């Protein structure tokens, strides 16, 4: 395990160095990979965030707030539920499960077919040519897609509050806006940036170190997604605790 962690750290360093040093041969591949991530992950992310926002923090939380006659407080609740927690988390899970596994399988297949060795023989750096564009694409597209995840997560809560429970849109928006703060939004974007790079390095490392043919590729994909999920959970917990400690006012309900 320690050897794999060290390998991921070294691969991260090589990818960062390749990002900022010429030649920038990764630019075209970066655009293509970003488009693939968007195309593969957008619809699953939208469906997941709307459904989760509508269900758990939407309908179930309204079951409690309606006891006190304050269903409109769902707007304030969704600042914590969607902006701070579940929208970014679901976005990371979807990108890890869809884009991350595809990248790991692609690199693993290239490794099995010895394409990476062929690149090295030609004098091309596999990290600069293959890893860096995927590293950057995941690290940049994850927070960008998180902005959409936040909006659709709140939309799911609005549907539960207004359409199902009959509360007014004005009440939902008023309590939401009174509790929404810049640290919540900036923290969500920064956190999901970390998610993207965690997914990238776990999936790229596992793909580059496949052993055992096609069966080894399957094992590497499974291991990569589990490592990415675990890394997201740990990072999410640490980041949220630090955010709340640095900006304690974000934990207040107005």
């Amino acid at each position: 395990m320690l050897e794999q962690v060290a390998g991921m750290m070294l691969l991260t360093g090589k990818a960062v160095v390749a990002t900022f040093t010429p030649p920038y041969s990764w630019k075209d591949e970066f655009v293509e990979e970003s488009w693939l991530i968007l195309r593969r992950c957008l619809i699953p992310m939208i469906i997941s965030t709307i459904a989760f926002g509508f269900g758990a923090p939407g309908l179930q939380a309204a079951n409690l707030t309606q006891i006190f006659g304050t269903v409109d407080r769902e707007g304030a609740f969704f600042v914590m539920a969607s902006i701070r927690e579940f929208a970014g988390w679901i976005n990371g899970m979807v990108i890890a499960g869809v884009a991350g596994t595809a990248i790991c399988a692609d690199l693993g297949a290239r490794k099995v077919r010895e394409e990476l060795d062929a690149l090295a023989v030609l004098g091309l750096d596999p990290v600069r040519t293959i890893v860096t564009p995927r590293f950057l694409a995941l690290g940049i597209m994850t927070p960008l897609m998180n902005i959409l995840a936040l909006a659709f997560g709140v939309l799911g809560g609005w549907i539960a509050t207004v359409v199902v429970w009959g509360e007014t849109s004005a009440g939902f928006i008023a309590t939401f806006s009174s509790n929404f703060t810049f640290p919540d939004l900036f923290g969500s974007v920064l956190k999901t940036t970390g998610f993207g790079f965690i997914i990238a390095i776990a999936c790229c490392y596992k793909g580059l170190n496949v052993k055992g043919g096609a069966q080894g590729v399957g094992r590497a994909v499974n291991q990569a997604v589990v490592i990415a999920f675990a890394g997201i959970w740990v990072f999410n917990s640490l980041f949220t605790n630090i955010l709340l400690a640095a900006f304690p006012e974000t934990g207040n309900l107005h």
Side-chain angles (χ1 to χ4, degrees), residues 10 12 19 40 49 54 66 78 83 123 135 142 163 178 181 195 198 212-213 234-235 237 249:
L10 290 174
T12 302
T19 300
R40 291 170 177 169
T49 49
F54 176 79
Q66 64 89 22
F78 262 81
I83 306 299
F135 181 80
T142 303
V163 177
S178 65
T181 63
F195 290 174
I198 289 171
V234 173
F235 184 78
S237 178
E249 68 277 7

Side-chain angles (χ1 to χ4, degrees), residues 2 12 19 22 47 51 58 66-67 71 77 88 90 99 102 125 127 134 143 150 160 180 186-187 207 215 230:
L2 293 177
T12 302
T19 300
I47 294 173
Q66 64 89 22
I67 296 175
V71 180
F77 178 68
I90 289 178
D125 182 7
V127 174
R134 289 159 175 79
L150 300 180
F180 180 73
F186 180 74
Q215 186 177 6

Side-chain angles (χ1 to χ4, degrees), residues 34-240:
S34 298
W35 167 242
L36 287 175
I37 292 170
L38 181 64
R39 189 178 65 185
R40 291 170 177 169
C41 300
L42 182 61
I43 300 302
M45 180 273 292
I46 290 175
I47 294 173
S48 300
T49 49
I50 290 179
F52 195 90
F54 176 79
L59 293 179
Q60 294 302 319
N63 282 326
L64 298 177
T65 55
Q66 64 89 22
I67 296 175
F68 305 99
T70 58
V71 180
D72 63 309
R73 302 298 292 177
E74 279 281 276
F77 178 68
F78 262 81
V79 174
M80 181 273 292
S82 179
I83 306 299
R84 194 180 304 158
E85 292 295 339
F86 84 81
W89 177 76
I90 289 178
N91 181 53
M93 295 292 102
V94 169
I95 291 180
V98 178
T101 53
I103 287 173
C104 182
D106 176 49
L107 293 181
R110 292 171 185 249
K111 177 69 174 179
V112 170
R113 295 194 300 264
E114 299 183 347
E115 292 182 19
L116 302 181
D117 296 332
L119 287 175
V121 170
L122 292 172
L124 299 175
D125 182 7
V127 174
R128 183 182 298 275
T129 306
I130 297 177
V131 175
T132 299
R134 289 159 175 79
F135 181 80
L136 293 175
L138 284 168
I140 293 174
M141 290 304 298
T142 303
L144 291 179
M145 289 186 61
N146 176 63
I147 302 298
L148 295 176
L150 300 180
F152 285 107
V154 174
L155 175 62
W158 177 86
I159 294 173
T161 305
V162 176
V163 177
V164 177
W165 285 95
E167 184 56 59
T168 63
S169 296
F172 180 87
I173 295 173
T175 58
F176 178 87
S177 59
S178 65
N179 286 271
F180 180 73
T181 63
F182 177 75
D184 285 313
L185 178 61
F186 180 74
S188 180
V189 173
L190 189 61
K191 177 171 62 176
T192 49
T193 302
F195 290 174
F197 287 122
I198 289 171
I199 296 166
I201 203 61
C203 294
C204 289
Y205 176 81
K206 282 296 182 180
L208 290 175
N209 292 275
V210 165
K211 296 179 181 178
Q215 186 177 6
V217 174
R219 284 197 302 267
V221 170
N222 291 334
Q223 292 170 2
V225 75
V226 170
I227 292 172
F229 282 0
I232 288 173
W233 296 337
V234 173
F235 184 78
N236 180 64
S237 178
L238 292 175
F239 187 92
T240 302

Side-chain angles (χ1 to χ4, degrees), residues 26-35 133-134 136-137 140:
W26 45 263
K27 291 186 290 184
D28 292 338
E29 186 80 6
F30 162 73
V31 174
E32 182 178 347
E33 287 297 323
S34 298
W35 167 242
R134 289 159 175 79
L136 293 175
I140 293 174

